[in-house]
Amino acid sequence: MNKIKAIKPNALTQGATIAVLSPSWDGPSVFPHIYQQGLKNLKAMGFNIIE
């Protein structure tokens, strides 16, 4: 029996780029204040954001 080995990616570092998307529903238009706060939090953590 073959065992599946888990692959653990490296942790993100400040300056890393994160793509933000919502494929299953239109959350940003329904809750724009929550979406904007999330972007603000990620930017405050030092990440670059691509929407």
Side-chain angles (χ1 to χ4, degrees):
M1 177 185 274
N2 293 338
K3 290 188 176 184
I4 297 174
K5 184 178 178 182
I7 299 172
K8 183 177 178 184
N10 296 330
L12 294 173
T13 58
Q14 285 189 344
T17 300
I18 299 175
V20 177
L21 59 120
S22 180
S24 62
W25 66 294
D26 198 18
S29 69
V30 177
F31 302 106
H33 59 288
I34 295 173
Y35 178 75
Q36 292 301 322
Q37 184 63 48
L39 294 179
K40 182 179 174 182
N41 291 343
L42 290 170
K43 289 177 184 177
M45 295 171 67
F47 297 116
N48 298 314
I49 307 300
I50 296 176
E51 296 182 64

